Amino acid sequence: MIDVFMNTYHRLPVTFAKGEGTWLFDINGKKYLDFSSGIAVNCLGHAYPPLVRAIAEQAAKFSHVCNYYQSDVSAAFAEKLVEACAAGGMKKLFLANSGAEANEGACKIARKYSLKKYGPGRHRIVSLRGSFHGRTITTLSATGQEKFHRDFGPFTEGFSFIPGGDIEALDKALDQSAVAGLLIEAVQGESGIIPQTQEYIEAAARLCAERDILLMFDEIQCGMGRTGTFLAFEQYRLADGRPLKADIVTLAKGLCGGVPAGAVLAGEKVMDVFESGDHGSTFGGNPLAAAAGLVILKTVSDPAFLREISQKGERIISTIKSWNHAKIENIRGRGLMLGIDIKADAWPILEAAINRAGSGRPGLLLLSAGPKTLRLLPPYTISGAEIDEGLHILKDILNG
Ligand SMILES: *Cc1c(COP(=O)(O)O)cnc(C)c1O
């Protein structure tokens, strides 16, 4: 077969043709239990009937109008999304198509806010080592991982990185005269499922507030209910116990359950920074995505549903801990965003989990996050029996 794709992905040897709930089927009819959700995208599983209906019904009306006009479905989606993020302090939003694009919007808001209030030179955005914020030149500039910084320079200036968890380094880096914003994942995804500590987030919120530096949460992977609260940072508190409010929140991945979409949301302080003509996106707020997003929001903002996400995560953690498996060093995470450090390379495990499929036996779709960490991001709709079946496969594979 002639491969016309550019060689950007290290692909596993499988081509999918169909999905249903937590299951995917390849072109040869082999089946796979999906513990990856397309990297936290298909949060309600594959071909979720209400989602399929909503997209089909919208496609039969219209699938796009340009942003010179408003559409009923995009307006309804925007309103519900702001409502779902209200506890985190969000008041207005801009709709985009991807995570990188949402983070670009966040950086633009931070820079303009600072420029208008303090004049030029106070444009730096601080982020964490190990962070991942996207693949465009600017979002790579914000990504604190050396391996992404080869070959593509010069990068956008005005970004710097600090080690996570180090409050002294944070205090030093948040220079009031140079820094516009702090961009942070409450639970880092790509670098191995690393939740920030309460002390660290508390300090970040305090220092940002004292210095008028924007507190920006990249919830692209950990948001949309993934950790058991609608936004992952809702699990942190201010020093006095009050809930934390962000200045900016970015979302994408699970936002529309598999239809491409991103959003940058803003709190009171920065919600009117963008003026007419400042920003835009042809596909942003696309009606098909919005119709899908309304289904996701309706399900995922229900507190009982969010509690189930946490309980399912706890079931996975307690099962894996009960194995006392010699190859497992550690399991951590929140809700259905879990990292397992193993005493082996992760990639061969991913391959073995795929290759196991055949003769009626299912395969298992796993992710890695770093060379020796397995990452589990199952759909929220996964059943207890499916969790047990997937973990049984995982144990089998670890046993070699
Ligand atoms: C995936 C991801 C992004 C980038 O999103 P794209 O849609 O691939 O541009 C940014 N930040 C985090 C935390 C992510 O997990």
Side-chain angles (χ1 to χ4, degrees), residues 19-43:
E20 192 185 339
T22 315
W23 295 90
L24 275 168
F25 302 85
D26 74 10
I27 49 173
N28 302 311
K30 292 182 195 168
K31 59 179 193 175
Y32 303 81
L33 197 47
D34 188 1
F35 270 34
S36 69
S37 308
I39 317 191
V41 169
N42 307 103
C43 57

Side-chain angles (χ1 to χ4, degrees), residues 48 70 146 172 211 242 262 264-265 288-289 387 397:
Y48 182 62
Q70 181 67 274
E146 294 307 322
K172 240 170 89 190
R211 299 172 192 180
R242 277 181 307 146
V264 46
L265 294 106
L288 293 182
I387 288 176
I397 285 159

Side-chain angles (χ1 to χ4, degrees), residues 98-101 103 132-135 185 190 218 220-221 252-253:
S98 68
E101 209 189 321
N103 282 338
F132 182 80
H133 299 299
R135 298 282 198 157
E185 296 158 84
E190 298 303 309
D218 177 342
I220 289 164
Q221 189 163 155
K253 293 206 162 82

Side-chain angles (χ1 to χ4, degrees), residues 151-207:
D151 305 342
F152 300 109
F155 287 95
T156 308
E157 13 169 328
F159 289 87
S160 66
F161 311 114
I162 51 173
D166 183 343
I167 293 172
E168 232 173 277
L170 178 72
D171 189 355
K172 240 170 89 190
L174 295 183
D175 174 353
Q176 195 161 2
S177 66
V179 176
L182 172 69
L183 180 61
I184 191 165
E185 296 158 84
V187 182
Q188 283 185 342
E190 298 303 309
S191 52
I193 314 295
I194 318 287
Q196 306 302 331
T197 63
Q198 162 61 28
E199 294 68 36
Y200 192 72
I201 294 292
E202 185 183 308
R206 176 177 54 81
L207 293 167

Side-chain angles (χ1 to χ4, degrees), residues 217-263:
F217 281 100
D218 177 342
E219 293 260 347
I220 289 164
Q221 189 163 155
C222 60
M224 296 304 298
R226 180 55 57 190
T227 66
T229 45
F230 189 76
L231 297 170
F233 78 80
E234 288 178 56
Q235 292 175 40
Y236 297 87
R237 287 276 172 272
L238 296 172
D240 60 10
R242 277 181 307 146
L244 199 71
K245 307 258 192 241
D247 294 307
I248 295 180
V249 172
T250 54
L251 291 167
K253 293 206 162 82
L255 180 56
C256 294
V259 183

